[in-house]
Amino acid sequence: MSTERDSETTFDEDSQPNDEVVPYSDDETEDELDDQGSTVEPEQNRINREAEENREPFRKECTWQVKANDRKYHEQPHFMNTKFFCIKESKYANNAIKTYKYNAFTFIPMNLFEQFKRAANLYFLILLILQAIPQISTLAWYTTLVPLLLVLGVTAIKDLVDDVARHKMDKEINNRTCEVIKDGRFKVAKWKDIQVGDVIRLKKNDFVPADILLLSSSEPNSLCYVETAELDGETNLKFKMSLEITDQYLQREDTLATFDGFIECEEPNNRLDKFTGTLFWRNTSFPLDADKILLRGCVIRNTDFCHGLVIFAGADTKIMKNSGKTRFKRTKIDYLMNYMVYTIFVVLTLLSAGLAIGHAYWEAQVGNYSWYLYDGEDDTPSYRGFLNFWGYIIVLNTMVPISLYVSVEVIRLGQSHFINWDLQMYYAEKDTPAKARTTTLNEQLGQIHYIFSDKTGTLTQNIMTFKKCCINGQIYGDHRDASQHNHNKIEQVDFSWNTYADGKLAFYDHYLIEQIQSGKEPEVRQFFFLLAVCHTVMVDRTDGQLNYQAASPDEGALVNAARNFGFAFLARTQNTITISELGTERTYNVLAILDFNSDRKRMSIIVRTPEGNIKLYCKGADTVIYERLHRMNPTKQETQDALDIFANETLRTLCLCYKEIEEKQFAEWNKKFMAASVASTNRDEALDKVYEEIEKDLILLGATAIEDKLQDGVPETISKLAKADIKIWVLTGDKKETAENIGFACELLTEDTTICYGEDINSLLHARMENQRNRGGVYAKFAPPVQEPFFPPGGNRALIITGSWLNEILLEKKTKRSKILKLKFPRTEEERRMRTQSKRRLEAKKEQRQKNFVDLACECSAVICCRVTPKQKAMVVDLVKRYKKAITLAIGDGANDVNMIKTAHIGVGISGQEGMQAVMSSDYSFAQFRYLQRLLLVHGRWSYIRMCKFLRYFFYKNFAFTLVHFWYSFFNGYSAQTAYEDWFITLYNVLYSSLPVLLMGLLDQDVSDKLSLRFPGLYIVGQRDLLFNYKRFFVSLLHGVLTSMILFFIPLGAYLQTVGQDGEAPSDYQSFAVTIASALVITVNFQIGLDTSYWTFVNAFSIFGSIALYFGIMFDIHSAGIHVLFPSTFQFTGTASNALRQPYIWLTIILTVAVCLLPVVAIRFLSMTIWPSESDKIQKHRKRLKAEEQWQRRQQVFRRGVSSRRSAYAFSHQRGYADLISSGRSIRKKRSPLDAIVADGTAEYRRTGDS
């Protein structure tokens, strides 16, 4: 037993989580993980596996067939799939994108079908059918039809507007153009007309319209540079390269037109980084992989033109396969509202059943013996009771408010427009307003518990700037003049003396310029020379300007800084690099490039100077550089102190060093380097070992400090959200050190914060699991769960955890399968049972472990998850949703944030540096993180308060209106007769009481926006569901019941034994109905006045206007003229004018309204005086709180040598361009002119840098 338990709880001993690497690809399968291990498998296992693989040797994976320039091939019968009965369509999708839901023919039937899937609409349709049955109809059919048509019409118009917008967007994308070969020539065609097998031409800055195989390009070796921001959020360029055969033969238009290659490849799938296929051409087969495929959504950069063959089009493209189905999100209030409507259904059914039983009893006791009540029907009392049950279902149907849903939609639509129109969330620099992309989630913005934020581009600007440096122990970058004197106000450095300066660098230390120009300290010049030479940046010239393309934004910032300080990188070939050194061009021979990777954390280059000396230049993270320095480095401590200062200022640091190499030493090393470069196995490990031999005894030059600048207002926003009891988790793919320092920069972490790492909490979770298992036993299920905190009370803690540790802790790690012979099915029933039990135990353990992790993380004030994949981001959000039942919001700006944005209750997209895919998948979008505080603390809180007030009042007014019928039934033999006129019932929710409550739901605010931001604690009521819950619902129900009693019984008492002044008796049923209706309309409209916190002219006009509208319509409906035209429809002829000219009727109405409202006024006064809420207190003192308190950043005290933080270089998640440069594949070679291309004027050939 113990052995079995141990086997479940232990992890792989040989694989500790690596903090530096992003975990496995989201698409990696168990089999692929197996392939990464080089262990020897048993012979029998190998035989079984090979037999299974060879069953379908090639067709197993590659079943997608594409023939170039042959559309008819793809229309063959065996490529057709049956879609509907005998209707067939090709399995090859066309390239038109369709995101709309309806067309002109399907809109009405499909929209009605969707609307009647909503329970309330279906209920009213059934009611309408019941009202058409004469035996049970107690109300005219139009009392239900008119409101139902209004509800369906408003919703249909809203859906139509949304779908028209989708049609326009689809049309815009589908009508983009590119060149396609037709009839042997390139012709302009729309994207929607492109088909699989077409050969297309794309030009610089074009979007790729489909997934295509790269055939050739204007670059050497048919390289093609693409930007993949729409796919993975990364703005650095990536390169693709065609097959050598297609590069050689498919450059001209005529050869492309006759190209007849045949491709067999994998079926369409969503794996962005994988592709498997084969090209058959010229009696030879050529393997294809992802490096030869351009995906839809990429943008062609730095490549004048390229040609490609369409493999997947439209819905089959990988980006469309990745978009997935957007989850339908509903708010917490939506779910609660539905449960309350179900509760009302139950109450309605019980009331109807009780009254039906009462009618059956009354018929048996009274009706059958009263000759004057005989209606010609000889039905039994029980049958009459059954009919009356349905009659009361119809009469009391207004308890379920038909206009509730459409009113909610109108309010949400208005609130969404307020967000769109908010000028304080408009970003003028990029002309980007805030955008509510959904209208269904506004009030949920006022209930957020957890925010999950991306880092790069969301908290930061994703724009790296060179801020400071330390050279030879001296720090540069402060505000100093050329004489080394500090100044608070000083002009920025003028770089006009440098012809290559780009004019974008803001630098204020004039002393550094003086040092560079004077040359007094050679280390200063050597420092910037190192930045100009040691990199893998690619360069091209446009209109005489240098354009750099770097593998990471940090590297681009450093090369640009060197360029501004006079050391400009101009050109490179396979073996040379050309630098302008203070105006003098010098070319250096590149002997070797030792590229970055996440293990090495550094990059080196070995060059031969024009004088013949060999030098190695190296830059990297301080932790690895300091280990490789020569013992005699005089500035080592000064540089260390500078690194501490830079880290304290949350700058990203990098150490620079060099060494001189003797010819003999280099020759010996180069032999080992060349041998490792061609190693057939473990090449990377062999190269790293060789690199280690040369990268030692280095001489330290200094350190750079780059600022990944925070967006404006980020610390202020985080501070205010924290005061609103909202916890912020940062989920990023960046490195641990970088993420940690950004945490300090935005004040998510402080010097007082105790930071816990993956290894710390792993032991805590192990201990908790052991305790839970020890407590578990036979009686464990009966014992109450013990919630013990993980940390002692008090203290400010934060958790920083990497993706690898996250997999380890949550038991999500994909472990390699044990290499033993496994059968597909268990051989015996006992084996099957044992396997099932083991699987259940593992699932239960995993679930408990995940719950413990969430409990632990939620005890921390801040959580930072770094080096996480998009899948892990979504997983963390889902865990908090699942185990905390908390409302979550995810905010990001890249395509790698889409999964997280879709998983959270609310997704917010920032339109930043990484494309628009996050915005397209989001519910709300804006341009800056700081707008989040206004979205939540102002719009979210107001929306929540407005919606809660609206719902409470709506239920109240409908109960007050409907339950009058209930009290009336005790006096009419439970006969299902209505207490009002039919037209009043029809128009009550539509005209007489709708506008004031709608305006309150749109405009009401308890405190102003400035005070909402100043007092974030006001937000907590939404998190705790204090304003709308079952308790509040039943209070509204009780309020409605009491109001209905007063509305019925006071007029009833007034009408008993009464005679009018003129001798007429106004105690008739119709006058009674008018009196109750008048008192009801005045009461509910004055009640909304009591509920309104923010009075405007519009509110006041709507309240008094609704009352005036009621009297105006009533006098018209009760006029003799309309009765003559429609005698059966309008039967209350003259009732209003007759009843309302009696003074005591008006006295009755006034008395009824007063008795309804005075207790409410008294209770409100007492509650605000004795138990005031936070908003009551702020409202009371709002004049005193006019001045907005200015938020001030916390002053940080730097203590030398104490800081343990170190920001480091943001390495690219992939290697740089070193392999590409060294192989010479990127170097331009002159090529014979291409007639067709030159004729179009699209080719611009650049010369090599040294020609």
Side-chain angles (χ1 to χ4, degrees), residues 7 140 336 383 409 429 528 559 583 600 703 867 959 1024 1075 1236:
S7 68
L336 196 57
Y383 180 69
E409 291 299 322
E429 281 186 33
F528 286 104
V559 176
R600 283 169 39 75
R867 282 296 195 223
F959 282 125
R1024 297 179 182 171
T1075 305

Side-chain angles (χ1 to χ4, degrees), residues 951-1005:
L951 291 172
R952 294 201 310 260
Y953 174 79
F954 210 96
F955 285 127
Y956 152 75
K957 79 181 181 71
N958 274 64
F959 282 125
F961 165 62
T962 306
L963 290 176
V964 170
H965 298 301
F966 176 74
W967 307 118
Y968 184 50
S969 64
F970 291 101
F971 298 88
N972 64 19
Y974 311 98
S975 59
Q977 185 182 2
T978 58
Y980 311 108
E981 180 198 5
D982 287 356
W983 278 105
F984 177 78
I985 294 172
T986 305
L987 299 176
Y988 173 74
N989 272 322
V990 176
L991 291 179
Y992 302 153
S993 64
S994 60
L995 192 57
V997 70
L998 274 177
L999 288 172
M1000 183 182 73
L1002 285 169
L1003 303 175
D1004 201 48
Q1005 46 184 270

Side-chain angles (χ1 to χ4, degrees), residues 89 164 175 388 392 428 450 467 477 569 572 613 751 758 785 805 951 1031 1050 1070 1087 1104 1184 1211 1216:
E89 66 173 7
V164 167
N175 286 336
N388 253 38
Y392 270 113
Y450 291 88
K467 294 297 287 184
F569 161 54
R572 75 182 339 139
N613 301 322
E751 294 293 347
W805 273 110
L951 291 172
K1031 179 184 173 184
I1050 288 182
Q1070 293 187 344
Q1087 178 66 48
F1104 293 106
R1184 203 161 46 81
F1211 298 100

Side-chain angles (χ1 to χ4, degrees), residues 108 121 208 444 735:
I108 291 176
N121 289 345
V208 180
Q444 190 113 304
K735 292 172 50 199

Side-chain angles (χ1 to χ4, degrees), residues 227-235 297-298 894-895 913-917:
E227 183 183 284
T228 59
E230 291 288 329
L231 297 177
D232 56 18
E234 294 184 17
T235 52
C298 294
Q913 302 288 321
E914 299 188 5
M916 293 293 287
Q917 200 162 332

Side-chain angles (χ1 to χ4, degrees), residues 1117-1239:
I1117 288 174
H1118 293 187
S1119 65
I1122 201 166
H1123 174 71
V1124 172
L1125 294 173
F1126 307 100
S1128 61
T1129 308
F1130 300 94
Q1131 297 177 351
F1132 276 50
T1133 311
T1135 303
S1137 55
N1138 182 46
L1140 295 178
R1141 62 189 172 86
Q1142 306 289 342
Y1144 81 91
I1145 297 286
W1146 280 106
L1147 184 63
T1148 302
I1149 292 172
I1150 292 168
L1151 178 65
T1152 306
V1153 172
V1155 174
C1156 284
L1157 296 181
L1158 284 176
V1160 177
V1161 174
I1163 292 169
R1164 296 273 171 92
F1165 174 77
L1166 285 173
S1167 66
M1168 288 182 68
T1169 307
I1170 303 170
W1171 309 286
S1173 66
E1174 280 299 312
S1175 61
D1176 290 337
K1177 293 175 187 174
I1178 292 168
Q1179 274 182 310
K1180 188 176 179 181
H1181 302 105
R1182 61 180 177 272
K1183 290 183 180 178
R1184 203 161 46 81
L1185 297 170
K1186 276 183 180 178
E1188 181 79 19
E1189 184 181 354
Q1190 290 299 317
W1191 177 89
Q1192 292 180 346
R1193 287 195 64 171
R1194 185 183 294 104
Q1195 294 297 315
Q1196 294 189 353
V1197 180
F1198 171 62
R1199 293 168 287 171
R1200 186 176 297 278
V1202 172
S1203 176
S1204 59
R1205 310 197 305 277
R1206 176 86 70 256
S1207 187
Y1209 196 85
F1211 298 100
S1212 177
H1213 289 182
Q1214 58 183 11
R1215 283 180 177 268
Y1217 301 137
D1219 292 342
L1220 190 63
I1221 295 162
S1222 302
S1223 65
R1225 287 173 290 177
S1226 64
I1227 311 307
R1228 298 182 174 277
K1229 299 165 186 171
K1230 291 196 175 181
R1231 187 183 276 152
S1232 56
L1234 310 177
D1235 298 340
I1237 298 160
V1238 171

